[in-house]
Amino acid sequence: MKNVELQEFRKALLGWFQEFQRDLPWRKHHDPYRIWISEIMLQQTRVAAVIPYYEKFLARFPDVQSLASAPQEEVLRLWSGLGYYSRARNLQKAAQQMAAKHAGQFPRQREELLALEGIGEYTASAILSIAFDDKHAALDGNVARVVARLEAIRGDLRESKRWRDLQCKADQLLERDSAGDWNQAMMELGATICLPRSPQCLLCPVANFCQARKLGIAENIPEKRKKRATVSIQLVSVVLLDAKNRSLLLPAPTTSSKNNADDHIPSLVAKLWHFPTVSALANCEDALERLLHHELRIKSAKSIRPELLDKIRHAVTYRTISIAAYLIGVKQLPKISGAQYLSLEKIQFLPISNLTRKIAKAALKRLSATKNTH
Ligand code: SF4
């Protein structure tokens, strides 16, 4: 774009952003800590899903120090249901790094930010520009799509040379006098108007400056990436219930624990509190037998009658997980060091994944149906 055109383009986008931006809780502050939490939560997650988590998390951990010193279990519990739990672990590690190296303050230099766990180029640019108006153009998938369409850049946007070109273009477009608003305006355009599948060009405040629109190729940018083949995983889980209606949950294994030997159990099951689970390589009955006899060492396994719960399915990125979950009444729950013994209603107070939540829900549904028939 020529200089005059570039100025008009910036004015149009910023004017639109001032008038139509969504009212989001993290936009009320310029506190780098709060911006950081929102940016990490928003990775791979929709705004509507993030808002209640963001508010609860900030109420409990209002600053670097409170996050750094909290038990990891509590951090994970407040993250429970948001998915991609490595984000929560990295957040806490980064807070601890800030506590140790920066006296609990948010570092002001880009290099210092990039040295923290879980903070990459995009997140550093977003935090520094939104909190301090530093002159960095933040480029994530949404913004890259907008820039590619504005400039009619074809091809795979994640290809490294193309990504560098997009960063250069984003740097040229940046309104350096208000970099924070500018980055948020580009993100907002990508999230609400310049949508991946059907860009709303008729509503777009910068349609007159868009090359892809002029050429009629907006919907073909970015080019579709080849989809990774889906992997199907079959797991077997058991919900053991004793006479007091207590169930057994296992903790996230340490690297040396034997659960880790079963590396077919996806991380989303085993990295948080979970029901005893194994992968079923051949058939579910054999896997159940292995789980009861060998993993849990239930001696009287022959006398118990496992009830298969409703089918549970769970999809995470390229994996489709089917779980055969069994409800089993036992006289005594096996004694396992570090395990939790508690009622199904109470497991929500532990950090658990959505998958474990689904299993508990299926078990509770079965128990209430059984109660109603008696
Ligand atoms: Fe995106 Fe269409 Fe606006 Fe171009 S005109 S930036 S393709 S919404």
Side-chain angles (χ1 to χ4, degrees), residues 34 38 48 85 96 120 129 132 148-149 151 154 163 167 234 240 244 247 249 256 260 280 284 304 336 348 363 367:
R34 285 169 179 262
S38 71
Y85 294 90
Q96 288 161 349
S129 63
F132 307 112
R149 284 174 175 166
E151 304 283 347
R154 296 172 187 256
W163 191 262
Q167 181 70 61
Q234 175 71 57
L240 301 175
K244 289 182 185 157
S247 184
L249 272 103
S256 58
N260 258 9
C284 292
I304 58 179
I336 295 176
Q348 55 172 309
L367 287 170

Side-chain angles (χ1 to χ4, degrees), residues 149-150 189 193-194 199-201 204 206-207 210 213 218:
R149 284 174 175 166
L150 286 168
L189 189 69
I193 302 277
C194 195
Q200 310 287 297
C201 302
C204 179
V206 290
C210 179
R213 181 168 182 256

Side-chain angles (χ1 to χ4, degrees), residues 30-82:
H30 285 269
D31 173 5
Y33 174 76
R34 285 169 179 262
I35 295 162
W36 172 49
I37 303 292
S38 71
E39 287 296 337
I40 301 295
M41 285 188 168
L42 286 165
Q43 289 169 5
Q44 329 261 356
T45 313
R46 287 174 308 110
V47 164
V50 164
I51 292 173
Y53 282 90
Y54 171 83
E55 284 172 344
K56 262 195 281 171
F57 200 88
L58 265 296
R60 169 61 188 88
F61 308 120
D63 49 31
V64 169
Q65 208 59 55
S66 55
L67 177 57
S69 59
Q72 189 191 63
E73 181 106 346
E74 203 182 348
V75 178
L76 291 174
R77 189 167 57 75
L78 282 168
W79 201 272
S80 182
L82 203 52

